[in-house]
Amino acid sequence: MREFWQSLSPWLDTPLLVLGNASLTLRGLVATGFVLAATWAGARFLRGLVARSLHRALGLERGPREAVASISYYVAWTIGAIAMLQTVGIDLSSLTVFAGVVGIGFGLGVQNLASNFVSGLVLLFDQTIRVGDYIELEGLAGTVEKISIRSTLVRTVDDMFVIVPNQYLIQQRTINWSYGSNRVRVHLEVGVAYGTDPLLLTEALLAAAHNESRVLPFPEPQVWLSNFGASSLDFRLLFWIDRPREAQPIRSALRFQIEREFRQRGIEIPFPQLDLHVRPSPPPQRRRYHRQGCPGRRSPAPLGSLDGPTENHRITPRSQIPPGIVAAGPLL
């Protein structure tokens, strides 16, 4: 067996690529593959071990636990990358100039990737958005399932997974419904017809809020008159919940309750109305025409008239028209 490996030694140690003072051989490639596989398995194992240990020992929530596990995962990959370079035989001190060139290209050519990388580190260390939080970003609402260096995975209420670049969570205005406390206040707009008794309306809205079990009894719900609309009085029902993920279903349930309360109390929900006023137009003005022969006025007969010659209209024989003259009336 030893003779077999000795026979393969010249092939394994044959340089395939020379990088400065270091040479890349087949033996180095095989060793690098083993180190890569060991780094991948070790990083995944370390990530799961750290998450389980923090949960059992310290009882940390999901967000901080996943943040520490992710940081340990990337630290393990960094150590594995250094080990792979040492296995190949590349001196890290010789890569100073190369690292500078790569850094310039990294800054100019992959600015978005660099921005997402830095934003991912900020999210992991800042903890303003954590795994398990319910967030809302530009109409997208869902639960944060994973925060990586490049992007964040969000699961919507429709059980769809959306990949959001980290820089959007840092640069855009993001609503974190789970930050600090799960208790939030929700607004519900309601419009009623003009002439409705505000006290009767307030009673109906508060009754609907108290009938919904997911609405917190304290702080108590409130009713505000928000606006005098074009065709309705606009009121706003404000109530508190401790389930931000169920804000939309709670709104829907309250609308059903409000519709029933309105129907029982005879409160009318208006619809847009338009009053059309028809103004009578003045009668058309009639133009007066004078007949021929009226004293003081002469009305020339139209060209080509067949009513016969008049005082201002005379038929000229064709033979009396000089050559080159265009006739402007009837000819004989």
PDB file of all heavy atoms in Angstrom, residues 167-194:
ATOM      1  N   GLN A 167     -30.537  46.280   2.612  1.00  0.00           N
ATOM      2  CA  GLN A 167     -30.452  47.739   2.554  1.00  0.00           C
ATOM      3  C   GLN A 167     -31.835  48.389   2.540  1.00  0.00           C
ATOM      4  O   GLN A 167     -32.004  49.517   3.009  1.00  0.00           O
ATOM      5  CB  GLN A 167     -29.667  48.174   1.324  1.00  0.00           C
ATOM      6  CG  GLN A 167     -30.269  47.743  -0.003  1.00  0.00           C
ATOM      7  CD  GLN A 167     -29.486  48.270  -1.184  1.00  0.00           C
ATOM      8  OE1 GLN A 167     -28.686  49.174  -1.030  1.00  0.00           O
ATOM      9  NE2 GLN A 167     -29.706  47.688  -2.354  1.00  0.00           N
ATOM     10  N   TYR A 168     -32.865  47.687   2.041  1.00  0.00           N
ATOM     11  CA  TYR A 168     -34.216  48.238   2.069  1.00  0.00           C
ATOM     12  C   TYR A 168     -34.724  48.369   3.504  1.00  0.00           C
ATOM     13  O   TYR A 168     -35.424  49.323   3.840  1.00  0.00           O
ATOM     14  CB  TYR A 168     -35.169  47.366   1.259  1.00  0.00           C
ATOM     15  CG  TYR A 168     -34.956  47.445  -0.242  1.00  0.00           C
ATOM     16  CD1 TYR A 168     -35.522  46.527  -1.103  1.00  0.00           C
ATOM     17  CD2 TYR A 168     -34.173  48.449  -0.784  1.00  0.00           C
ATOM     18  CE1 TYR A 168     -35.330  46.601  -2.474  1.00  0.00           C
ATOM     19  CE2 TYR A 168     -33.965  48.536  -2.151  1.00  0.00           C
ATOM     20  CZ  TYR A 168     -34.544  47.615  -2.988  1.00  0.00           C
ATOM     21  OH  TYR A 168     -34.341  47.689  -4.340  1.00  0.00           O
ATOM     22  N   LEU A 169     -34.376  47.410   4.354  1.00  0.00           N
ATOM     23  CA  LEU A 169     -34.813  47.468   5.740  1.00  0.00           C
ATOM     24  C   LEU A 169     -34.114  48.577   6.514  1.00  0.00           C
ATOM     25  O   LEU A 169     -34.644  49.050   7.530  1.00  0.00           O
ATOM     26  CB  LEU A 169     -34.540  46.122   6.426  1.00  0.00           C
ATOM     27  CG  LEU A 169     -35.280  44.912   5.843  1.00  0.00           C
ATOM     28  CD1 LEU A 169     -34.843  43.640   6.546  1.00  0.00           C
ATOM     29  CD2 LEU A 169     -36.786  45.090   5.959  1.00  0.00           C
ATOM     30  N   ILE A 170     -32.943  49.002   6.037  1.00  0.00           N
ATOM     31  CA  ILE A 170     -32.200  50.065   6.709  1.00  0.00           C
ATOM     32  C   ILE A 170     -32.572  51.434   6.145  1.00  0.00           C
ATOM     33  O   ILE A 170     -32.778  52.403   6.890  1.00  0.00           O
ATOM     34  CB  ILE A 170     -30.683  49.829   6.583  1.00  0.00           C
ATOM     35  CG1 ILE A 170     -30.303  48.504   7.250  1.00  0.00           C
ATOM     36  CG2 ILE A 170     -29.896  50.972   7.199  1.00  0.00           C
ATOM     37  CD1 ILE A 170     -30.553  48.468   8.735  1.00  0.00           C
ATOM     38  N   GLN A 171     -32.719  51.541   4.829  1.00  0.00           N
ATOM     39  CA  GLN A 171     -32.928  52.828   4.187  1.00  0.00           C
ATOM     40  C   GLN A 171     -34.397  53.235   4.141  1.00  0.00           C
ATOM     41  O   GLN A 171     -34.709  54.423   4.204  1.00  0.00           O
ATOM     42  CB  GLN A 171     -32.347  52.808   2.770  1.00  0.00           C
ATOM     43  CG  GLN A 171     -30.852  52.571   2.730  1.00  0.00           C
ATOM     44  CD  GLN A 171     -30.328  52.427   1.310  1.00  0.00           C
ATOM     45  OE1 GLN A 171     -31.092  52.481   0.346  1.00  0.00           O
ATOM     46  NE2 GLN A 171     -29.034  52.229   1.164  1.00  0.00           N
ATOM     47  N   GLN A 172     -35.306  52.269   3.966  1.00  0.00           N
ATOM     48  CA  GLN A 172     -36.729  52.585   3.870  1.00  0.00           C
ATOM     49  C   GLN A 172     -37.367  52.585   5.258  1.00  0.00           C
ATOM     50  O   GLN A 172     -36.839  52.022   6.213  1.00  0.00           O
ATOM     51  CB  GLN A 172     -37.438  51.567   2.969  1.00  0.00           C
ATOM     52  CG  GLN A 172     -36.853  51.463   1.578  1.00  0.00           C
ATOM     53  CD  GLN A 172     -37.005  52.741   0.769  1.00  0.00           C
ATOM     54  OE1 GLN A 172     -37.947  53.498   0.978  1.00  0.00           O
ATOM     55  NE2 GLN A 172     -36.090  52.978  -0.145  1.00  0.00           N
ATOM     56  N   ARG A 173     -38.525  53.248   5.328  1.00  0.00           N
ATOM     57  CA  ARG A 173     -39.255  53.273   6.590  1.00  0.00           C
ATOM     58  C   ARG A 173     -39.947  51.935   6.806  1.00  0.00           C
ATOM     59  O   ARG A 173     -40.815  51.532   6.034  1.00  0.00           O
ATOM     60  CB  ARG A 173     -40.284  54.407   6.597  1.00  0.00           C
ATOM     61  CG  ARG A 173     -40.950  54.609   7.946  1.00  0.00           C
ATOM     62  CD  ARG A 173     -41.946  55.743   7.917  1.00  0.00           C
ATOM     63  NE  ARG A 173     -43.102  55.426   7.102  1.00  0.00           N
ATOM     64  CZ  ARG A 173     -44.180  56.197   7.000  1.00  0.00           C
ATOM     65  NH1 ARG A 173     -44.221  57.346   7.647  1.00  0.00           N
ATOM     66  NH2 ARG A 173     -45.193  55.843   6.235  1.00  0.00           N
ATOM     67  N   THR A 174     -39.561  51.245   7.857  1.00  0.00           N
ATOM     68  CA  THR A 174     -40.079  49.924   8.167  1.00  0.00           C
ATOM     69  C   THR A 174     -40.843  49.977   9.481  1.00  0.00           C
ATOM     70  O   THR A 174     -40.351  50.508  10.475  1.00  0.00           O
ATOM     71  CB  THR A 174     -38.936  48.901   8.265  1.00  0.00           C
ATOM     72  OG1 THR A 174     -38.170  48.924   7.058  1.00  0.00           O
ATOM     73  CG2 THR A 174     -39.484  47.501   8.478  1.00  0.00           C
ATOM     74  N   ILE A 175     -42.050  49.427   9.493  1.00  0.00           N
ATOM     75  CA  ILE A 175     -42.865  49.355  10.701  1.00  0.00           C
ATOM     76  C   ILE A 175     -42.641  47.991  11.340  1.00  0.00           C
ATOM     77  O   ILE A 175     -42.912  46.952  10.727  1.00  0.00           O
ATOM     78  CB  ILE A 175     -44.354  49.572  10.391  1.00  0.00           C
ATOM     79  CG1 ILE A 175     -44.571  50.942   9.736  1.00  0.00           C
ATOM     80  CG2 ILE A 175     -45.195  49.440  11.648  1.00  0.00           C
ATOM     81  CD1 ILE A 175     -45.999  51.180   9.302  1.00  0.00           C
ATOM     82  N   ASN A 176     -42.152  47.989  12.570  1.00  0.00           N
ATOM     83  CA  ASN A 176     -41.946  46.757  13.330  1.00  0.00           C
ATOM     84  C   ASN A 176     -43.031  46.680  14.399  1.00  0.00           C
ATOM     85  O   ASN A 176     -42.961  47.346  15.432  1.00  0.00           O
ATOM     86  CB  ASN A 176     -40.557  46.746  13.964  1.00  0.00           C
ATOM     87  CG  ASN A 176     -40.209  45.391  14.562  1.00  0.00           C
ATOM     88  OD1 ASN A 176     -41.068  44.520  14.670  1.00  0.00           O
ATOM     89  ND2 ASN A 176     -38.966  45.210  14.953  1.00  0.00           N
ATOM     90  N   TRP A 177     -44.033  45.873  14.141  1.00  0.00           N
ATOM     91  CA  TRP A 177     -45.162  45.756  15.063  1.00  0.00           C
ATOM     92  C   TRP A 177     -44.783  45.026  16.352  1.00  0.00           C
ATOM     93  O   TRP A 177     -45.507  45.129  17.349  1.00  0.00           O
ATOM     94  CB  TRP A 177     -46.315  45.007  14.390  1.00  0.00           C
ATOM     95  CG  TRP A 177     -46.959  45.752  13.264  1.00  0.00           C
ATOM     96  CD1 TRP A 177     -46.532  45.792  11.969  1.00  0.00           C
ATOM     97  CD2 TRP A 177     -48.130  46.559  13.325  1.00  0.00           C
ATOM     98  NE1 TRP A 177     -47.362  46.576  11.222  1.00  0.00           N
ATOM     99  CE2 TRP A 177     -48.366  47.055  12.027  1.00  0.00           C
ATOM    100  CE3 TRP A 177     -49.014  46.914  14.339  1.00  0.00           C
ATOM    101  CZ2 TRP A 177     -49.434  47.883  11.726  1.00  0.00           C
ATOM    102  CZ3 TRP A 177     -50.086  47.731  14.041  1.00  0.00           C
ATOM    103  CH2 TRP A 177     -50.295  48.210  12.750  1.00  0.00           C
ATOM    104  N   SER A 178     -43.676  44.305  16.345  1.00  0.00           N
ATOM    105  CA  SER A 178     -43.275  43.510  17.511  1.00  0.00           C
ATOM    106  C   SER A 178     -42.175  44.171  18.329  1.00  0.00           C
ATOM    107  O   SER A 178     -41.708  43.578  19.304  1.00  0.00           O
ATOM    108  CB  SER A 178     -42.801  42.124  17.049  1.00  0.00           C
ATOM    109  OG  SER A 178     -43.779  41.472  16.281  1.00  0.00           O
ATOM    110  N   TYR A 179     -41.744  45.353  17.956  1.00  0.00           N
ATOM    111  CA  TYR A 179     -40.628  45.978  18.658  1.00  0.00           C
ATOM    112  C   TYR A 179     -41.092  46.499  20.020  1.00  0.00           C
ATOM    113  O   TYR A 179     -42.067  47.251  20.125  1.00  0.00           O
ATOM    114  CB  TYR A 179     -40.063  47.136  17.836  1.00  0.00           C
ATOM    115  CG  TYR A 179     -38.805  47.747  18.419  1.00  0.00           C
ATOM    116  CD1 TYR A 179     -37.583  47.123  18.247  1.00  0.00           C
ATOM    117  CD2 TYR A 179     -38.857  48.922  19.140  1.00  0.00           C
ATOM    118  CE1 TYR A 179     -36.424  47.669  18.757  1.00  0.00           C
ATOM    119  CE2 TYR A 179     -37.706  49.479  19.665  1.00  0.00           C
ATOM    120  CZ  TYR A 179     -36.491  48.847  19.473  1.00  0.00           C
ATOM    121  OH  TYR A 179     -35.348  49.394  20.011  1.00  0.00           O
ATOM    122  N   GLY A 180     -40.377  46.114  21.046  1.00  0.00           N
ATOM    123  CA  GLY A 180     -40.703  46.573  22.396  1.00  0.00           C
ATOM    124  C   GLY A 180     -41.854  45.805  23.009  1.00  0.00           C
ATOM    125  O   GLY A 180     -41.685  45.073  23.977  1.00  0.00           O
ATOM    126  N   SER A 181     -43.047  45.926  22.451  1.00  0.00           N
ATOM    127  CA  SER A 181     -44.240  45.268  22.992  1.00  0.00           C
ATOM    128  C   SER A 181     -45.153  44.884  21.845  1.00  0.00           C
ATOM    129  O   SER A 181     -45.175  45.533  20.798  1.00  0.00           O
ATOM    130  CB  SER A 181     -44.976  46.192  23.966  1.00  0.00           C
ATOM    131  OG  SER A 181     -46.192  45.607  24.391  1.00  0.00           O
ATOM    132  N   ASN A 182     -45.909  43.805  22.061  1.00  0.00           N
ATOM    133  CA  ASN A 182     -46.859  43.354  21.046  1.00  0.00           C
ATOM    134  C   ASN A 182     -48.168  44.134  21.091  1.00  0.00           C
ATOM    135  O   ASN A 182     -49.015  43.954  20.216  1.00  0.00           O
ATOM    136  CB  ASN A 182     -47.150  41.859  21.233  1.00  0.00           C
ATOM    137  CG  ASN A 182     -45.985  40.991  20.821  1.00  0.00           C
ATOM    138  OD1 ASN A 182     -45.220  41.346  19.931  1.00  0.00           O
ATOM    139  ND2 ASN A 182     -45.844  39.850  21.472  1.00  0.00           N
ATOM    140  N   ARG A 183     -48.354  44.981  22.080  1.00  0.00           N
ATOM    141  CA  ARG A 183     -49.603  45.727  22.197  1.00  0.00           C
ATOM    142  C   ARG A 183     -49.550  46.964  21.308  1.00  0.00           C
ATOM    143  O   ARG A 183     -48.678  47.824  21.468  1.00  0.00           O
ATOM    144  CB  ARG A 183     -49.841  46.130  23.653  1.00  0.00           C
ATOM    145  CG  ARG A 183     -51.243  46.656  23.913  1.00  0.00           C
ATOM    146  CD  ARG A 183     -51.447  46.956  25.380  1.00  0.00           C
ATOM    147  NE  ARG A 183     -50.581  48.037  25.837  1.00  0.00           N
ATOM    148  CZ  ARG A 183     -50.626  48.560  27.051  1.00  0.00           C
ATOM    149  NH1 ARG A 183     -51.473  48.074  27.938  1.00  0.00           N
ATOM    150  NH2 ARG A 183     -49.808  49.535  27.390  1.00  0.00           N
ATOM    151  N   VAL A 184     -50.484  47.067  20.376  1.00  0.00           N
ATOM    152  CA  VAL A 184     -50.531  48.175  19.425  1.00  0.00           C
ATOM    153  C   VAL A 184     -51.956  48.694  19.334  1.00  0.00           C
ATOM    154  O   VAL A 184     -52.926  47.990  19.660  1.00  0.00           O
ATOM    155  CB  VAL A 184     -50.037  47.747  18.022  1.00  0.00           C
ATOM    156  CG1 VAL A 184     -48.573  47.366  18.047  1.00  0.00           C
ATOM    157  CG2 VAL A 184     -50.874  46.600  17.471  1.00  0.00           C
ATOM    158  N   ARG A 185     -52.082  49.956  18.882  1.00  0.00           N
ATOM    159  CA  ARG A 185     -53.393  50.559  18.682  1.00  0.00           C
ATOM    160  C   ARG A 185     -53.727  50.560  17.196  1.00  0.00           C
ATOM    161  O   ARG A 185     -52.894  50.926  16.360  1.00  0.00           O
ATOM    162  CB  ARG A 185     -53.435  51.982  19.232  1.00  0.00           C
ATOM    163  CG  ARG A 185     -54.823  52.587  19.228  1.00  0.00           C
ATOM    164  CD  ARG A 185     -54.885  53.886  20.010  1.00  0.00           C
ATOM    165  NE  ARG A 185     -54.184  54.967  19.322  1.00  0.00           N
ATOM    166  CZ  ARG A 185     -54.227  56.242  19.720  1.00  0.00           C
ATOM    167  NH1 ARG A 185     -54.915  56.568  20.799  1.00  0.00           N
ATOM    168  NH2 ARG A 185     -53.561  57.165  19.062  1.00  0.00           N
ATOM    169  N   VAL A 186     -54.937  50.192  16.880  1.00  0.00           N
ATOM    170  CA  VAL A 186     -55.393  50.046  15.499  1.00  0.00           C
ATOM    171  C   VAL A 186     -56.502  51.061  15.249  1.00  0.00           C
ATOM    172  O   VAL A 186     -57.333  51.314  16.125  1.00  0.00           O
ATOM    173  CB  VAL A 186     -55.895  48.615  15.225  1.00  0.00           C
ATOM    174  CG1 VAL A 186     -56.296  48.451  13.758  1.00  0.00           C
ATOM    175  CG2 VAL A 186     -54.821  47.599  15.594  1.00  0.00           C
ATOM    176  N   HIS A 187     -56.513  51.643  14.041  1.00  0.00           N
ATOM    177  CA  HIS A 187     -57.525  52.619  13.637  1.00  0.00           C
ATOM    178  C   HIS A 187     -58.465  51.977  12.621  1.00  0.00           C
ATOM    179  O   HIS A 187     -58.028  51.246  11.729  1.00  0.00           O
ATOM    180  CB  HIS A 187     -56.869  53.850  13.004  1.00  0.00           C
ATOM    181  CG  HIS A 187     -55.969  54.595  13.944  1.00  0.00           C
ATOM    182  ND1 HIS A 187     -55.653  55.928  13.781  1.00  0.00           N
ATOM    183  CD2 HIS A 187     -55.318  54.209  15.061  1.00  0.00           C
ATOM    184  CE1 HIS A 187     -54.849  56.321  14.733  1.00  0.00           C
ATOM    185  NE2 HIS A 187     -54.618  55.286  15.531  1.00  0.00           N
ATOM    186  N   LEU A 188     -59.761  52.300  12.762  1.00  0.00           N
ATOM    187  CA  LEU A 188     -60.778  51.805  11.841  1.00  0.00           C
ATOM    188  C   LEU A 188     -61.681  52.972  11.452  1.00  0.00           C
ATOM    189  O   LEU A 188     -62.337  53.571  12.308  1.00  0.00           O
ATOM    190  CB  LEU A 188     -61.591  50.680  12.486  1.00  0.00           C
ATOM    191  CG  LEU A 188     -62.646  50.007  11.597  1.00  0.00           C
ATOM    192  CD1 LEU A 188     -61.980  49.347  10.399  1.00  0.00           C
ATOM    193  CD2 LEU A 188     -63.440  48.986  12.389  1.00  0.00           C
ATOM    194  N   GLU A 189     -61.712  53.310  10.160  1.00  0.00           N
ATOM    195  CA  GLU A 189     -62.502  54.432   9.651  1.00  0.00           C
ATOM    196  C   GLU A 189     -63.928  53.986   9.343  1.00  0.00           C
ATOM    197  O   GLU A 189     -64.147  52.922   8.737  1.00  0.00           O
ATOM    198  CB  GLU A 189     -61.855  55.005   8.381  1.00  0.00           C
ATOM    199  CG  GLU A 189     -60.439  55.532   8.569  1.00  0.00           C
ATOM    200  CD  GLU A 189     -60.410  56.835   9.342  1.00  0.00           C
ATOM    201  OE1 GLU A 189     -61.489  57.483   9.441  1.00  0.00           O
ATOM    202  OE2 GLU A 189     -59.332  57.202   9.837  1.00  0.00           O
ATOM    203  N   VAL A 190     -64.892  54.829   9.761  1.00  0.00           N
ATOM    204  CA  VAL A 190     -66.316  54.552   9.525  1.00  0.00           C
ATOM    205  C   VAL A 190     -66.973  55.854   9.094  1.00  0.00           C
ATOM    206  O   VAL A 190     -66.750  56.912   9.716  1.00  0.00           O
ATOM    207  CB  VAL A 190     -67.006  53.990  10.780  1.00  0.00           C
ATOM    208  CG1 VAL A 190     -68.484  53.735  10.506  1.00  0.00           C
ATOM    209  CG2 VAL A 190     -66.332  52.718  11.241  1.00  0.00           C
ATOM    210  N   GLY A 191     -67.794  55.810   8.055  1.00  0.00           N
ATOM    211  CA  GLY A 191     -68.539  56.976   7.588  1.00  0.00           C
ATOM    212  C   GLY A 191     -70.038  56.761   7.719  1.00  0.00           C
ATOM    213  O   GLY A 191     -70.545  55.673   7.401  1.00  0.00           O
ATOM    214  N   VAL A 192     -70.772  57.785   8.190  1.00  0.00           N
ATOM    215  CA  VAL A 192     -72.233  57.698   8.337  1.00  0.00           C
ATOM    216  C   VAL A 192     -72.854  58.915   7.673  1.00  0.00           C
ATOM    217  O   VAL A 192     -72.176  59.908   7.375  1.00  0.00           O
ATOM    218  CB  VAL A 192     -72.640  57.640   9.830  1.00  0.00           C
ATOM    219  CG1 VAL A 192     -72.137  56.369  10.473  1.00  0.00           C
ATOM    220  CG2 VAL A 192     -72.139  58.859  10.580  1.00  0.00           C
ATOM    221  N   ALA A 193     -74.157  58.852   7.454  1.00  0.00           N
ATOM    222  CA  ALA A 193     -74.859  59.920   6.755  1.00  0.00           C
ATOM    223  C   ALA A 193     -74.982  61.145   7.656  1.00  0.00           C
ATOM    224  O   ALA A 193     -75.015  61.048   8.890  1.00  0.00           O
ATOM    225  CB  ALA A 193     -76.244  59.442   6.318  1.00  0.00           C
ATOM    226  N   TYR A 194     -75.042  62.300   7.020  1.00  0.00           N
ATOM    227  CA  TYR A 194     -75.270  63.541   7.762  1.00  0.00           C
ATOM    228  C   TYR A 194     -76.647  63.486   8.428  1.00  0.00           C
ATOM    229  O   TYR A 194     -77.617  62.990   7.845  1.00  0.00           O
ATOM    230  CB  TYR A 194     -75.186  64.742   6.827  1.00  0.00           C
ATOM    231  CG  TYR A 194     -73.783  65.215   6.582  1.00  0.00           C
ATOM    232  CD1 TYR A 194     -73.077  64.810   5.449  1.00  0.00           C
ATOM    233  CD2 TYR A 194     -73.148  66.063   7.489  1.00  0.00           C
ATOM    234  CE1 TYR A 194     -71.780  65.247   5.221  1.00  0.00           C
ATOM    235  CE2 TYR A 194     -71.850  66.497   7.264  1.00  0.00           C
ATOM    236  CZ  TYR A 194     -71.170  66.098   6.135  1.00  0.00           C
ATOM    237  OH  TYR A 194     -69.884  66.521   5.926  1.00  0.00           O
TER     238      TYR A 194
END
